[in-house]
Each structure stands twice: as C-alpha cells, then as structure tokens.
Amino acid sequence: MEDALNGLKLAVDSALESAKTDMEVEAIEIKYLGRKGELTAMLKNLTNVPAADRPVYGAMANGIKRQMETAISAKRRILSVVKMANLADTERVDVTEPGERPPEGHLHVTTQAINELTTIFEKIGFTRTRYPEVDWDWYAFEALNMPADHPARDEWETFFMDAPGSKKGRMVLTPHTSNGQIHELEKGDLPIRMINIAKCYRRQIDATHIPMFHQIEGLYVDRNVSITHLRGVLDYFAKAFFGPDRVTRLRPFHFRFTEPSFEIDISCGVCGGTGINTERQKCRVCKRGWVELGGAGMVHPNVFKACNVDPKKWSGLAFGWGVERTFMMKSGLQIDDIRTLYKNDLRFLKQF
Ligand code: FA5
C-alpha cells in the first residue's frame, strides 16, 4: 500500500513536470484526485486493509493527497506567472493601427436639397425662418385672401385636424408654406427677406404627388419691389441650383394671395430648352423646352391689409415650389416617380 501510494505521488509529480497548460493540469487532477481518480479509488479500498492498520494507511493516503494538491496548485501558479510574462508577446495591441470604421450614413437627398437651397438664398440676403407645420386656418387660407368657402381652397386638398377651433379658425396640416408669409408680415418687422422651408401635406398620391412633401417659400417686402426683382431672383436661383445655362420664364396664372400671379417655368436641362432631343425627336422630359417649377407673384394688397401692413407704402414678391420636385429636375437626374425618394431603398439613396 505504501509503495502504491508513493508510486502515485511520483506519477503525479512527473506528469506535472511536463504539463504546459492549465488544461493539462486539470486532466492530471481529474485522473488522480477526481471522483473516479486513482487516489480516490485507493482511499475507498482502505476498507479491505486490516482494521488495525487502517489509521496508519489512512493518514499516509491523506498526506499523499495533500502533497498532490499542493503540487497541483504550485504548478497552476507557475503556469499563470509564465502566461502573464508572455502576454506582451502573445496578446500585443498596436494602438497605432487604424481602427475599424463603423458604416457611415449620409443626409437624405431632401435634406441635402434643403441645405443647398438655404445656402443659395442666404447668399442674396434671405434668412431661413421656421413656422408651424400644423397651423390655423387664418394663416393657411384666410389671411392669404382665401375666405372660408372660397372654391380656391379646394385646390389645396387639405387635411383638417380633429381639434377644437379658435378665433383663427380650424387647425390644418399646412398644405403649403405660404402660411409663413402671414407669420412674417404679422411681426411687422419690415423690410423682409425670408425663406420658409417646411413640410406640407395634401391628400394626393401618384408618380408626381406625395401626401407629405416639402416646399420652399420666399418673401421679399420693401419699398418699390417690382416684377423685375422677381425675375432677377428666379434667374439667379435657376443658375445657382440647376446650372449657368438655365433660365426661367413667367406664365400668367392665378393665386389668391399674389397679383399678378405667375407659374414659373425653367428651361429643360435635357434638351437645352429646345424641346427636341439629340435624336431629333420631341423631348420626353419637358413641355416644348420648359418644365414647371412652381408659383410666384407680387404680394396681394389684401394680404398686406390682413397683416396691418400698408400696401401703399410697401410692395413685395413671393414665390414657392416643391423641394422634392426641384431636386428631381436637377440636370442629369431622370427620376420618374417622386415616391422613389421615400422608399428607403439604400441602392437608390446611396447614389447621392
Ligand atoms: C402653392 O402651393 C403656392 N403656395 C405657391 C406660391 C407661393 C405661389 C408664393 C405664389 C406665391 P402649388 O399648389 O402650385 O402652389 O404648389 C407649388 C409646388 O409644390 C408645385 O409646383 C410642386 O412642386 C409642389 N407640390 C404640390 N403638391 C405636391 C405634392 N402632393 N407632392 C409633391 N410636390 C407637390
């Protein structure tokens, strides 16, 4: 028994000697000291030893067991010290190596267009303002010379809010940015050079209409503002946004809040304003060399009066158009469905 115990101790010592990893040490521990281990089996066999000898062999076996445990712990400590000492080589981190870049998004095309429009108009002294996108009837219609029940309101296909009204009428989701004109004039801080870029809502959806879109509204009020100024501003914009060879034209139109009123056309970027394409056929993009941009005109005297501004002293020009449509008209981009902008298709959006 004594030899057998010493033999086991020697076997453990030599196995530990050659062990190089924690896993190997663990395997040795299980082999000799585990529940089915060799020393454990010997301890169980003590029952076969004559009763008189049992205390001596029992003490001897437990002594060997403790020695083995001590040797195993010592080996574990050594391995851990060696591991720490080698860490600098095995797990070295080069802090100067470039890191991994997380995927980076970019601004949506509409936001890009809004930023570009803002910069263009700021260069000629316009300031961007913000007005509510849920507003009172007074600002969206009434003060814009569209009294209640006037048929002109039908053109705006408005969403009305299911909310209590006030002295200023019902609440609406703004169908255009022209409400900004009234807010600005009511402040009475003249002269005015403002642009209002905001979301608009109409009950419309097809290839050229969406229920939520953006408009840019411009208002310039000063002494002796004339249609010449309007033409100048629009031509400046057309060249800055679309390119140096683009020009605008004004077509007589009717808006309740401007007099005279116009629709603004811009020369077509695809056929160069000729209406004929490179294959000598009718241009598929434009109407005879021109594409429609938006509306404009000289501020109606009734609008001034509604805001307590004297139309005999002050005159003004106003213009407004859709941001999405303007972006789509940019040279070289032939997007044939406005809804493409909001489908969240990254293959499309990543191009811009
Ligand atoms: C107006 O909204 C006038 N407030 C513009 C104006 C301002 C005239 C100042 C005079 C002075 P209109 O309804 O035509 O006008 O809309 C202007 C532009 O908004 C359109 O040319 C188009 O570019 C854009 N637009 C209108 N409805 C939609 C829609 N459902 N989806 C996308 N764009 C739209």
Side-chain angles (χ1 to χ4, degrees):
M1 180 84 183
E2 189 177 347
D3 289 347
L5 285 170
N6 285 330
L8 275 190
K9 171 74 175 66
L10 284 176
V12 168
D13 285 346
S14 107
L16 286 176
E17 177 92 38
S18 48
K20 301 236 169 356
T21 64
D22 284 339
M23 299 267 281
E24 285 174 60
V25 174
E26 188 163 349
I28 294 165
E29 190 175 32
I30 292 168
K31 184 171 177 205
Y32 295 97
L33 298 175
R35 253 187 326 121
K36 294 180 183 163
E38 293 185 24
L39 183 70
T40 319
M42 256 188 209
L43 285 169
K44 281 181 192 155
N45 279 341
L46 275 177
T47 47
N48 301 331
V49 173
D53 297 337
R54 257 182 237 157
V56 180
Y57 288 124
M60 193 184 288
N62 278 325
I64 294 281
K65 187 180 175 195
R66 273 196 298 279
Q67 285 175 31
M68 283 181 182
E69 284 168 349
T70 312
I72 287 171
S73 316
K75 182 70 186 189
R76 282 206 169 108
R77 266 199 308 282
I78 290 168
L79 286 179
S80 135
V81 169
V82 171
K83 190 174 166 192
M84 293 310 284
N86 292 339
L87 209 59
D89 291 329
T90 53
E91 290 185 23
R92 199 180 44 180
V93 176
D94 181 354
V95 291
T96 63
E97 252 183 38
E100 270 178 37
R101 260 182 179 278
E104 215 173 68
H106 65 71
L107 295 176
H108 187 270
V109 286
T110 305
T111 312
Q112 290 181 37
I114 289 173
N115 290 347
E116 191 178 348
L117 291 169
T118 307
T119 309
I120 287 172
F121 281 102
E122 277 175 354
K123 281 190 184 154
I124 53 168
F126 283 75
T127 303
R128 184 168 176 199
T129 56
R130 302 283 172 108
Y131 292 108
E133 290 166 354
V134 181
D135 212 348
W136 301 109
D137 184 296
W138 167 259
Y139 294 99
F141 295 119
E142 187 92 26
L144 285 165
N145 199 27
M146 280 185 269
D149 303 324
H150 195 281
R153 289 178 173 223
D154 297 347
E155 289 159 28
W156 269 262
E157 302 196 46
T158 312
F159 291 105
F160 286 90
M161 299 287 291
D162 192 7
S166 78
K167 275 196 311 234
K168 297 194 166 178
R170 293 174 71 183
M171 290 208 99
V172 298
L173 297 186
T174 48
H176 55 174
T177 41
S178 299
N179 64 326
Q181 292 189 35
I182 305 303
H183 284 285
E184 194 68 22
L185 285 165
E186 274 187 356
K187 283 201 249 165
D189 190 9
L190 301 159
I192 295 168
R193 247 186 279 181
M194 72 114 199
I195 49 163
N196 175 32
I197 307 178
K199 291 190 187 71
C200 302
Y201 306 86
R202 296 187 194 182
R203 285 171 173 272
Q204 299 168 335
I205 187 152
D206 57 36
T208 50
H209 297 87
I210 36 180
M212 190 284 297
F213 60 102
H214 295 76
Q215 277 188 354
I216 173 171
E217 185 89 9
L219 177 69
Y220 171 39
V221 177
D222 209 331
R223 314 267 178 188
N224 305 318
V225 177
S226 69
I227 295 177
T228 318
H229 293 108
L230 178 61
R231 292 224 50 142
V233 169
L234 296 176
D235 267 341
Y236 159 78
F237 163 73
K239 289 182 199 313
F241 191 78
F242 293 105
D245 38 329
R246 307 292 284 276
V247 288
T248 57
R249 77 171 180 189
L250 298 179
R251 256 185 307 113
F253 198 69
H254 178 73
F255 290 107
R256 289 283 300 174
F257 36 93
T258 43
E259 181 58 37
S261 301
F262 307 98
E263 275 204 319
I264 316 156
D265 289 338
I266 177 158
S267 56
C268 175
V270 174
C271 64
T274 59
I276 307 292
N277 67 16
T278 43
E279 284 120 40
R280 293 178 175 253
Q281 280 165 358
K282 218 169 157 196
C283 177
R284 264 172 267 149
V285 173
C286 66
K287 292 179 198 156
R288 301 199 186 102
W290 299 91
V291 282
E292 195 181 303
L293 180 67
M298 305 307 293
V299 179
H300 196 290
N302 288 352
V303 173
F304 279 139
K305 282 182 207 155
C307 304
N308 294 322
V309 173
D310 185 350
K312 292 203 183 77
K313 287 192 190 148
W314 299 94
S315 48
L317 61 86
F319 53 85
W321 52 79
V323 173
E324 288 84 356
R325 295 242 197 115
T326 314
F327 168 76
M328 287 164 68
M329 281 157 56
K330 240 186 165 178
S331 306
L333 302 176
Q334 301 212 7
I335 305 164
D336 57 6
D337 190 327
I338 193 167
R339 292 167 292 193
T340 317
L341 268 56
Y342 293 113
K343 277 191 177 153
N344 285 339
D345 185 337
L346 288 180
R347 289 168 305 175
F348 169 77
L349 293 172
K350 276 182 176 170
Q351 298 173 70
F352 304 100

